[in-house]
Amino acid sequence: MPSTVPTRWYNLNADFPEPMPPALNPATDEPVTADDLAPLFAEELIAQEVSTQRYIDIPQAIREVYALWRPSPLVRARRLERELGTKAKIYYKYEGVSPTGSHKPNTAVAQAFYNKAQGISKLTTETGAGQWGASLAFACALFDMVAEVWQVRASYDAKPYRRYQMEVYGSSCHPSPSDLTASGRELLDRMPDTTGSLGMAISEAVEVAAGDPSAHYALGSVLNHVMIHQSVIGEELLEQLAAAGEEQADIVFACAGGSNLAGITFPLIGQNLREGTTTRFMACEPEAAPSITKGEYRYDFGDVAGLTPKLMMYTLGTDFVPPAIHAGGLRYHGMSPMVSHAVHLGLMGATAIDQDTSFRAGVLFARSEGIIPAPESTHAIAGALDYVTTSARPDEVVVIGVSGNGVLDLPAYEGRV
Amino acid sequence: MPSTVPTRWYNLNADFPEPMPPALNPATDEPVTADDLAPLFAEELIAQEVSTQRYIDIPQAIREVYALWRPSPLVRARRLERELGTKAKIYYKYEGVSPTGSHKPNTAVAQAFYNKAQGISKLTTETGAGQWGASLAFACALFDMVAEVWQVRASYDAKPYRRYQMEVYGSSCHPSPSDLTASGRELLDRMPDTTGSLGMAISEAVEVAAGDPSAHYALGSVLNHVMIHQSVIGEELLEQLAAAGEEQADIVFACAGGSNLAGITFPLIGQNLREGTTTRFMACEPEAAPSITKGEYRYDFGDVAGLTPKLMMYTLGTDFVPPAIHAGGLRYHGMSPMVSHAVHLGLMGATAIDQDTSFRAGVLFARSEGIIPAPESTHAIAGALDYVTTSARPDEVVVIGVSGNGVLDLPAYEGRV
C-alpha cells in the first residue's frame, strides 16, 4: 500500500471560531442525542458526528481500500492554462479515478466498515444521479454487506447504468417514491406523477432501516461524519501542493453539493484558522438548486416526510423540488450544516452557475485536459474559468475540485458539443 | 510528472528467435515497403513498424500525457484470493484508470503525437465497442487534431455513450458500413442488414485517409508499432513486481484481443528469452471469435475489402463475421502478427472461453476487488480463475491483465447478476 494514503481525517469542528448549532430531535426540538441516532447509525459514526477532535485516525482496513485509488491525482492543468492564455497556475484535484468514478467512496467505505464492525449486514440509502448508491454498493461488496438503494425516479428512468453497477456489486435499487414504504406510498398518493427528489428518497431509506434491526441507514452527504471522511481529499491536497512547491492555494473552487466541497476545503480552512494562510474558497452551486445563494439559513428537515433531525442549514424548504437538471447530485433542498456554518461565519463564499455555462466549461476542460468531468464538477470548473479569465493575478494558485468523471453522464453532454 | 512513468518502449522484434514473416503488398505479394505505407502512416510509426531495435525512447510530450494515469496500478488481489481460498498470489495490472477506461490510449497518444509532428490534422480509424475510437478522440483533442471514426454498426446502435465521448472530445463517429465511402456502399449493397465488423470498418477508414493528404489512418491493434507502444504495460509490470519483492511472474493471463496481450506479455517474453526467467503466458480469447485456437496460421488481409497489406497471422478468414458478443473489442477475424508469431514459436499458449463463464468471472471479480472489468478483460479473469482453482501451486505468482473497466459496458452485465 502506498505510504501516501492519508492516515487521518480532519474535523473542522475542532477549529470553527464558534460551535455549530446542534441538530434537533424533531419531536422535542431538543438537541439530538446519541440514543436518538442509534437505530440508524453505527456507534463510531455517531461519535464522529458530535466529535470536536481535530484528527481522527483512519482504520487500516479502510486505508487498504482507499489504496485502490488514493491518493487521487493533483494535476497542473497546463493545457487549460495555455487554452485560456492565463498566467495563473491552475491545478485540479481529480476524484474520478475511484472505482465508481466520484468522491463518494471516501465515505461509503468508512460507513460500511464501521457498520460491519458492529454486525450490521444491510445499509439503506437514497441516491440522485446514482454516484452515491453505486459507491455504497461498491463499499458494501468489499465488506460482505448489501445496500438497498432508493433512487430519485427522474435519474432512475434516465440513467440505468448506475443501477446496473449497483446490481453487479450485489445490491438492489428501487425508484423513489416507491410502493415499498409507507412514506413512498403517501407521496405517490399525493403526487402520482412526481419525478422524485433526494428528500423523498431519504424518507424511504430511513423508514426501512428504522424497522430492521440488521439494517442501518447511510447518508452520502449532509452529515458531519460524511464531511470528516471526505477530508482525505483536502489532506492530500495540502501534501501535494507542498510537494509541488506551492506555499498555499490562493483560491479553491468546488461544486456544492456539499461533501466534495467540504472534503477539499475544510483542511485548508483549518489551516487558515490555525496558521494564518489566506486561501479563499468558492462554493459553486447550480442556479436550479441555489440553497446557499437564494435559500434561508434556518432549521429545516433533511427529508420530505420530516423523519430526520432538524438541521441548521441553508435551505430552500423541504417542499422545493428542483427541476430535473443533469447534475443530479446537486438536486437537494438543503446544504450540509458544516458547510452552511462555514459560509455563515464568512469562511467560504458562494456563487450560482447556470447549466449551459457549466457544460461549456466541461467541454473546454475535456478537450484541453483530456478528462470528461461529471456534470456536478463542471460547476466548479465554470466558476474557476470565470475567475481566471476576469480576476486572477499572475502566478496565483487556483485549485479546482473535480469531484468525478462524466462517463455515465455522457448523454447530458449530447447536443452541447 | 512521476519519475515512474516509463522512459522507453520494448520491441519483441529484437528478441524473437526467428524474424517475423513480413507484411506483403496485396498487389505484388512482395514485402511491404515504407513507401507503400507512407500515404497512411507517419514516418516514425513506419520506422517502428519494421524496427528491430530493442528499446525505443518515449518522447517527453507523450510521457507527460501518460502521466495523467500511468503507471497504472498493479494490485495484489487479496480479497479475490480469500474468496477462492487459494494460496497462490494473484495480482492484476489495471488499465481501466485511463481517461477512456482502457489500455487503448497508450498507443493513441503516441500515434497522435507522431502524426501531429508531421503536420497531419486528422486521423481516421475504425472501432468496435468504441474504446479505441474514444481513445483516439481523446488523444487527438490533446494534440489539437480530430478523429473521424467508423464504428461497427452493432456497437454503434447498442452503445451510444462511446460516440458521445468522441463528440465531447471534438471528433466524429459514423456507423459502419456507411454510405460515406465506396467500400461501405459496396458492403451495404451486398449485405444491407449486416451488423458490421472491424474488418469492414477498417476498409472505410483506410479509404478516406488514402484520399486526403491532410489525413492519416490510425489502427488500434494488429500492427507492430501498436504492440510496441503497449509495452509500457509490461515494462511497468516488471518494475512493479520487483518492487513487490517477486522474482518473476509465474504465469500471465491476458485477453486476446492483441494489443493489451502484447503489451503486458512482450517485455516478460523478452526477459524469458534473454535472462532465462520462466514466465508462462496464456492468451484468453472468446469462443465466439477463436482466431488462435480455431483459426489457421497463414497470410490474410487485415480488412474485408482487401485494401490492407497481407499479414501472416492466425485468422478465421476475412469473411468471418463474429456474432454480436459483448466483448466488441475481440470481434475480429485475425490476430496481431506479432502475437501470432509468438504463439507460433511456442512462446505463448492460448485458450478459448465462453461468454457466460467470462461474465461470471467478471461479477466475482467486481464483488471481491471492487472493480467492474470490461467484457474483454473478463476473459483473462476467467482464464486465471480456472487455473488458480485447478492447477496453481502455493505462492505461485499469477498476473491478470485487466485491460479496462466495464463502466460503459454495464448493460452487458444485466441479467447476469
Side-chain angles (χ1 to χ4, degrees):
Chain A
M1 180 171 62
S3 58
T4 45
V5 175
T7 57
R8 62 189 192 180
W9 292 304
Y10 169 73
N11 180 8
L12 183 54
N13 276 317
D15 290 315
F16 269 135
E18 37 186 278
M20 287 177 65
L24 302 181
N25 183 316
T28 62
D29 270 356
E30 292 296 311
V32 164
T33 66
D35 283 352
D36 293 335
L37 299 174
L40 292 183
F41 299 102
E43 281 168 26
E44 182 61 30
L45 297 173
I46 296 170
Q48 291 175 5
E49 191 64 22
V50 296
S51 170
T52 55
Q53 190 181 320
R54 181 170 292 128
Y55 294 109
I56 296 171
D57 287 342
I58 305 177
Q60 192 63 9
I62 295 174
R63 294 184 68 230
E64 280 170 15
V65 179
Y66 278 176
L68 259 179
W69 73 97
R70 305 214 70 86
S72 71
L74 179 72
V75 182
R76 174 79 181 270
R78 290 187 189 275
R79 288 179 294 265
L80 181 62
E81 291 172 14
R82 280 198 296 272
E83 186 76 26
L84 298 173
T86 182
K87 292 199 165 62
K89 298 193 250 185
I90 304 176
Y91 291 87
Y92 63 95
K93 175 77 172 158
Y94 182 48
E95 292 295 305
V97 290
S98 84
T100 55
S102 79
H103 67 293
K104 295 289 186 181
N106 294 332
T107 184
V109 172
Q111 293 189 46
F113 169 81
Y114 288 120
N115 275 292
K116 178 72 176 184
Q118 205 173 308
I120 294 295
S121 59
K122 177 161 96 173
L123 292 175
T124 69
T125 198
E126 76 293 335
T127 197
Q131 285 104 327
W132 168 242
S135 299
L136 192 66
F138 153 77
C140 282
L142 298 194
F143 291 100
D144 285 323
M145 306 167 76
V146 296
E148 187 171 7
V149 181
W150 277 263
Q151 182 171 28
V152 174
R153 183 176 291 274
S155 293
Y156 183 95
D157 290 339
K159 298 177 175 178
Y161 280 58
R162 297 281 186 199
R163 170 163 50 91
Y164 303 150
Q165 213 170 10
M166 298 177 219
E167 290 167 353
V168 173
Y169 285 129
S171 291
S172 61
C173 177
H174 318 292
S176 171
S178 75
D179 60 6
L180 300 169
T181 66
S183 51
R185 288 188 293 269
E186 193 274 326
L187 288 160
L188 286 173
D189 279 350
R190 194 149 53 87
M191 302 178 279
D193 297 324
T194 181
T195 54
S197 72
L198 282 172
M200 295 179 199
I202 291 173
S203 297
E204 297 200 88
V206 166
E207 181 186 323
V208 169
D212 179 349
S214 70
H216 270 164
Y217 169 69
L219 193 60
S221 193
V222 179
L223 297 182
N224 301 356
H225 65 267
V226 177
M227 307 300 131
I228 291 171
H229 302 154
Q230 292 294 352
S231 69
V232 288
I233 305 172
E235 285 288 304
E236 288 174 2
L237 174 60
L238 288 171
E239 296 275 341
Q240 290 167 320
L241 283 172
E246 305 295 358
E247 277 182 32
Q248 66 170 25
D250 290 307
I251 186 163
V252 178
F253 292 84
C255 60
S259 69
N260 172 68
L261 169 67
I264 195 169
T265 63
F266 284 4
L268 282 71
I269 292 177
Q271 190 187 44
N272 276 0
L273 292 168
R274 293 191 315 276
E275 300 172 22
T277 47
T278 55
T279 306
R280 288 166 299 147
F281 306 95
M282 192 60 77
C284 302
E285 61 181 9
E287 277 192 353
S291 51
I292 302 177
T293 54
K294 297 276 175 59
E296 294 176 73
Y297 185 59
R298 63 171 169 86
Y299 272 104
D300 199 1
F301 292 102
D303 69 331
V304 168
L307 297 175
T308 69
K310 283 156 72 173
L311 304 168
M312 187 68 176
M313 62 181 176
Y314 286 94
T315 177
L316 297 157
T318 56
D319 286 340
F320 176 79
V321 177
I325 59 166
H326 288 297
L330 309 182
R331 294 180 76 232
Y332 184 60
H333 67 275
M335 179 51 58
S336 150
M338 282 186 86
V339 170
S340 294
H341 193 56
V343 172
H344 182 67
L345 294 177
L347 303 173
M348 182 187 293
T351 184
I353 293 167
D354 72 90
Q355 184 162 263
D356 285 348
T357 303
S358 290
F359 274 108
R360 273 200 305 277
V363 170
L364 179 67
F365 187 85
R367 292 185 183 175
S368 50
E369 290 302 310
I371 286 167
I372 300 177
E376 290 82 0
S377 313
T378 62
H379 292 77
I381 296 167
L385 293 193
D386 180 62
Y387 178 79
V388 165
T389 52
T390 60
S391 317
R393 304 180 313 277
D395 289 328
E396 193 167 346
V397 176
V398 178
V399 176
I400 306 173
V402 178
S403 58
N405 71 54
V407 173
L408 285 187
D409 302 290
L410 280 163
Y413 278 92
E414 255 262 282
R416 298 173 187 275
V417 292
Chain B
M1 183 171 60
S3 57
T4 44
V5 175
T7 57
R8 61 187 194 183
W9 291 303
Y10 170 73
N11 180 8
L12 182 54
N13 275 317
D15 290 315
F16 269 134
E18 35 185 279
M20 287 176 64
L24 302 181
N25 183 316
T28 63
D29 271 355
E30 292 296 311
V32 165
T33 65
D35 284 353
D36 293 335
L37 298 174
L40 292 183
F41 298 102
E43 283 169 24
E44 182 61 30
L45 297 173
I46 296 170
Q48 291 174 7
E49 193 62 24
V50 296
S51 171
T52 54
Q53 191 181 317
R54 181 170 294 129
Y55 294 107
I56 296 172
D57 287 342
I58 305 177
Q60 191 64 9
I62 295 174
R63 293 185 68 229
E64 281 169 14
V65 178
Y66 278 177
L68 258 179
W69 74 96
R70 306 214 70 86
S72 72
L74 179 71
V75 182
R76 174 80 181 269
R78 290 188 189 273
R79 286 179 295 266
L80 181 61
E81 291 173 11
R82 280 198 296 272
E83 186 76 26
L84 299 173
T86 182
K87 292 200 166 61
K89 297 193 252 182
I90 305 176
Y91 290 87
Y92 63 96
K93 176 79 171 154
Y94 182 49
E95 292 294 305
V97 291
S98 84
T100 55
S102 80
H103 65 294
K104 293 288 184 181
N106 294 333
T107 184
V109 171
Q111 293 189 46
F113 169 81
Y114 288 119
N115 276 291
K116 177 73 177 181
Q118 206 173 309
I120 294 295
S121 59
K122 177 160 96 175
L123 292 174
T124 69
T125 197
E126 75 295 334
T127 196
Q131 284 104 326
W132 168 242
S135 299
L136 192 67
F138 153 78
C140 283
L142 298 193
F143 291 101
D144 284 324
M145 306 169 76
V146 296
E148 187 171 7
V149 181
W150 277 262
Q151 182 171 27
V152 175
R153 183 176 291 274
S155 293
Y156 183 94
D157 290 339
K159 299 176 176 180
Y161 280 59
R162 296 281 187 199
R163 169 162 51 91
Y164 303 150
Q165 212 171 12
M166 298 176 218
E167 291 167 354
V168 172
Y169 285 129
S171 290
S172 61
C173 177
H174 320 292
S176 171
S178 75
D179 59 6
L180 299 169
T181 66
S183 50
R185 287 187 294 269
E186 193 274 326
L187 287 160
L188 286 173
D189 279 352
R190 193 148 54 88
M191 301 178 277
D193 297 324
T194 180
T195 54
S197 72
L198 282 171
M200 296 180 198
I202 291 173
S203 296
E204 297 202 86
V206 166
E207 180 186 323
V208 168
D212 179 350
S214 69
H216 269 164
Y217 168 69
L219 193 60
S221 193
V222 181
L223 298 182
N224 301 355
H225 64 268
V226 176
M227 308 299 132
I228 291 171
H229 301 153
Q230 292 295 353
S231 70
V232 288
I233 304 171
E235 286 288 303
E236 289 174 1
L237 174 60
L238 288 171
E239 296 276 341
Q240 290 168 322
L241 283 173
E246 305 294 358
E247 277 182 32
Q248 68 170 25
D250 291 306
I251 186 162
V252 178
F253 292 84
C255 61
S259 69
N260 172 70
L261 169 68
I264 194 168
T265 63
F266 283 6
L268 282 71
I269 291 177
Q271 191 188 45
N272 276 0
L273 292 167
R274 294 191 314 277
E275 300 172 24
T277 48
T278 56
T279 305
R280 288 166 298 147
F281 307 94
M282 192 58 75
C284 302
E285 62 181 9
E287 276 192 355
S291 51
I292 301 177
T293 54
K294 297 278 175 60
E296 294 176 72
Y297 185 58
R298 63 172 170 85
Y299 272 104
D300 198 2
F301 292 102
D303 70 331
V304 169
L307 296 174
T308 69
K310 284 159 66 172
L311 305 168
M312 188 67 176
M313 61 181 177
Y314 286 94
T315 176
L316 296 157
T318 56
D319 286 339
F320 176 79
V321 177
I325 58 166
H326 288 296
L330 310 181
R331 294 180 74 233
Y332 184 60
H333 67 275
M335 179 51 59
S336 151
M338 282 186 86
V339 170
S340 295
H341 193 56
V343 172
H344 183 67
L345 293 178
L347 303 174
M348 183 187 295
T351 183
I353 293 168
D354 72 89
Q355 184 162 263
D356 286 346
T357 303
S358 291
F359 274 108
R360 271 200 306 277
V363 170
L364 179 67
F365 187 84
R367 292 185 184 176
S368 50
E369 290 302 309
I371 286 166
I372 301 176
E376 291 82 359
S377 313
T378 62
H379 292 78
I381 296 168
L385 292 193
D386 180 61
Y387 178 78
V388 165
T389 52
T390 59
S391 316
R393 302 181 313 278
D395 290 327
E396 191 166 348
V397 175
V398 178
V399 176
I400 307 172
V402 178
S403 59
N405 71 54
V407 173
L408 286 186
D409 302 291
L410 280 164
Y413 278 93
E414 255 261 282
R416 296 172 187 277
V417 291

